Amino acid sequence: MKVLGIETSCDETGIALYDSDHGLLADALFSQTEMHAEYGGVVPELASRDHVQRVLPLIQQVLAQAGLERSAIDAIAYTAGPGLIGALMVGSCTAQALAYSWGIPALGVHHMEGHLLAPMLEENPPAFPFVALLVSGGHTQLVEVDGIGCYRLLGESLDDAAGEAFDKAAKMMGLDYPGGPRIAALAQQGQGGRFKFPRPMTDRPGLDFSFSGLKTFTLNTVAEHSRDGQCDPQTRADICRAFEEAVVDTLVIKCRRALQQTGLKRLVIAGGVSANRRLREGLDAMARKLGGELFYARPEFCTDNGAMIAYAGCQRLLAGERETLGSKPRPRWPMETLSPLPKADTGGDLRG
């Protein structure tokens, strides 16, 4: 089955073509980062308008890249939520209109399920079951995954997501949007140990997160070490390093607890923040110490992309899922409400 994937949940237009027999055939992405950087964050109306301009040319580009005609496409998968409602409607309307005119099925895909399954596109994909850390600008969640659609929420952020905290901390330090990569780059130049930031909610049991206090601590630190409203370059780099280390340590501690609590040995990280080098290194060392394994997608599939939507949609379409014409996107959509797919061979239960 050849599935066209359309991702338009926020500020990136992602299109891909996935073949259930031959894997990923082609993908293309247009990022609106440069446009939104002027405003310090995503402007929903601008995002929607840009998706309208990009989606059809990118579909043509992907078909040309794969060397296929549109008649070769068997189905369309699109992001139905969660996300910005205007942006979601662009992808939804495009997918349903094309599916109707081409006489093929369309299926709305959960954005975070797409992220969770993105590592399945790699040469060494994880087998079920595993613990997943979904960490992005809009979500920070720990999920026990027994199969596609078999999700048990273990913990989540009670306020800001980790990626959102990165962006807001970067803004406090006068860094451009998006803040996560900017902080990570400056952290490489920072001196370790100069500042000690808290590791929120690690001194109490449970797997929930909270990053609002860390954000306030960052604001106070910046104010304390600023002159005329600005930190000197080295101080700013040192604060970036302390902030990044605090977020990474918090995520590592919670992931270790999740693995120990569930008895699982496989850990999957997905979402934009999963591209962070320090986070990958910290989680890999932790997983190895516990006798486990860490899995993640290549950097271009950590952020929003069409390939993850095409793959996730393909799995559900192969299982017989279909939707009625006119299905509406959902800006809010708990992942635990998704229907489970019939379990295939998972390669064994890697529990302690």
Side-chain angles (χ1 to χ4, degrees):
M1 175 180 279
K2 293 181 179 64
V3 178
L4 180 70
I6 301 177
E7 155 61 23
T8 62
S9 66
C10 190
D11 63 337
E12 288 168 320
T13 312
I15 307 293
L17 191 58
Y18 181 83
D19 188 323
S20 57
D21 293 325
H22 301 99
L24 186 64
L25 302 180
D27 72 284
L29 182 75
F30 183 85
S31 175
Q32 303 172 9
T33 298
E34 186 175 340
M35 176 176 66
H36 296 293
E38 180 182 350
Y39 304 96
V42 176
V43 181
E45 177 63 21
L46 295 181
S48 303
R49 289 174 179 271
D50 200 71
H51 286 310
V52 172
Q53 292 181 310
R54 309 291 176 183
V55 65
L56 290 179
L58 284 175
I59 290 174
Q60 295 172 344
Q61 179 182 327
V62 162
L63 286 172
Q65 184 182 338
L68 296 173
E69 298 294 329
R70 68 186 188 188
S71 58
I73 298 175
D74 298 304
I76 302 177
Y78 65 93
T79 303
L84 302 175
I85 185 59
L88 291 170
M89 288 180 67
V90 175
S92 171
C93 291
T94 301
Q96 292 183 20
L98 290 178
Y100 181 76
S101 63
W102 295 350
I104 58 177
L107 183 66
V109 172
H110 193 288
H111 180 71
M112 295 311 295
E113 181 172 71
H115 274 303
L116 187 151
L117 297 177
M120 300 297 183
L121 294 164
E122 302 303 318
E123 291 184 2
N124 179 35
F128 301 113
F130 54 77
V131 169
L133 172 67
L134 303 178
V135 58
S136 66
H139 298 80
T140 300
Q141 297 178 324
L142 277 166
V143 182
E144 183 177 3
V145 181
D146 284 330
I148 296 178
C150 300
Y151 309 130
R152 182 169 71 93
L153 182 64
L154 301 174
E156 61 185 338
S157 179
L158 303 179
D159 39 61
D160 291 348
E164 184 181 3
F166 265 106
D167 286 341
K168 290 180 177 178
K171 193 170 185 178
M172 295 172 192
M173 289 181 274
L175 302 176
D176 291 335
Y177 173 86
R182 305 288 194 282
I183 286 182
L186 278 179
Q188 295 294 315
Q189 307 167 27
Q191 175 185 339
R194 180 180 174 187
F195 298 106
K196 180 66 174 178
F197 279 39
R199 274 58 175 164
M201 294 185 70
T202 58
D203 58 349
R204 67 187 76 175
L207 296 174
D208 286 330
F209 303 89
S210 173
F211 294 104
S212 61
L214 184 60
K215 189 175 59 178
T216 302
F217 192 93
T218 303
L219 180 64
N220 293 336
T221 303
V222 170
E224 184 180 347
H225 294 85
S226 295
R227 290 184 179 179
D228 299 324
Q230 290 187 333
C231 297
D232 66 80
Q234 186 58 53
T235 295
R236 186 165 64 174
D238 294 344
I239 293 174
C240 284
R241 175 160 179 170
F243 176 84
E244 184 184 53
E245 287 178 343
V247 173
V248 167
D249 286 352
T250 299
L251 295 173
V252 169
I253 290 169
K254 297 288 185 172
C255 285
R256 181 173 63 244
R257 287 183 186 175
L259 291 174
Q260 292 171 334
Q261 177 178 307
T262 60
L264 293 169
K265 297 296 184 181
R266 298 186 188 97
L267 175 65
V268 168
I269 54 172
V273 182
S274 69
N276 182 279
R277 181 188 61 81
R278 196 183 300 274
L279 177 60
R280 290 186 176 190
E281 291 175 352
L283 289 174
D284 185 58
M286 179 274 294
R288 288 177 182 274
K289 190 173 181 179
L290 293 178
E293 300 175 88
L294 176 68
F295 298 87
Y296 47 78
R298 69 196 80 167
E300 59 265 35
F301 292 160
C302 291
T303 54
D304 295 349
N305 63 88
M308 68 183 192
I309 301 303
Y311 176 84
C314 184
Q315 306 315 303
R316 290 190 170 274
L317 286 159
L318 287 171
E321 286 198 17
R322 299 292 187 272
E323 69 179 19
T324 58
L325 186 66
S327 295
K328 297 180 180 179
R330 311 181 199 181
R332 298 183 182 275
W333 189 4
M335 198 167 67
E336 313 89 83
T337 64
L338 295 176
S339 59
L341 297 192
K343 290 188 178 180
D345 180 12
T346 64
D349 191 341
L350 264 185
R351 297 182 191 263

